[in-house]
Amino acid sequence: MGNFWNSLIIGVLILAAAVPYIARIRHPEQKPLAAYLIFVTVFILVAVLLFNLLGWLVTQLELGQTLDKPGPAVLFLVLIFLPAIILAGWLARKPPWRQGPPP
């Protein structure tokens, strides 16, 4: 259970650090709050999905004991948070959608 709480704390710290990052990278036509909410939503969804997927994989391979060591635990968190940051940042950079809602 310690890895879950550590991951949650790191995730919240990333979201707090994302405020100036999003303000800097957002598209000029995108409102700051909208860009941040896009980032937060995508980041949380991707991070939760990857955490559950990689956690299930570790359990199936019976590698849970290796996550007690700092090296594999950091690698586990990097494999969760790095793709989430990249995808969320990419979506926050996009310009706002100018079309009306789809039919």
Side-chain angles (χ1 to χ4, degrees), residues 2-98:
N3 285 337
F4 172 77
W5 290 109
N6 290 340
S7 301
L8 187 64
I9 291 169
I10 291 171
V12 168
L13 290 175
I14 290 172
L15 291 177
V19 173
Y21 172 69
I22 296 303
R24 187 174 49 89
I25 68 159
R26 72 178 173 84
H27 193 275
E29 295 176 11
Q30 185 72 275
K31 294 182 180 178
L33 181 60
Y36 184 73
L37 290 177
I38 290 169
F39 181 88
V40 168
T41 303
V42 173
F43 176 81
I44 289 173
L45 289 174
V46 172
V48 166
L49 178 72
L50 287 175
F51 185 87
N52 288 327
L53 181 65
L54 290 175
W56 174 80
L57 186 62
V58 165
T59 303
Q60 293 299 316
L61 296 175
E62 299 177 1
L63 297 173
Q65 297 295 337
T66 60
L67 290 180
D68 290 338
K69 299 174 186 165
V74 168
L75 178 63
F76 183 79
L77 294 177
V78 166
L79 289 174
I80 292 168
F81 291 132
L82 189 61
I85 290 171
I86 290 171
L87 183 61
W90 176 69
L91 288 175
R93 281 187 180 99
K94 293 178 75 173
W97 195 21
R98 293 243 179 242

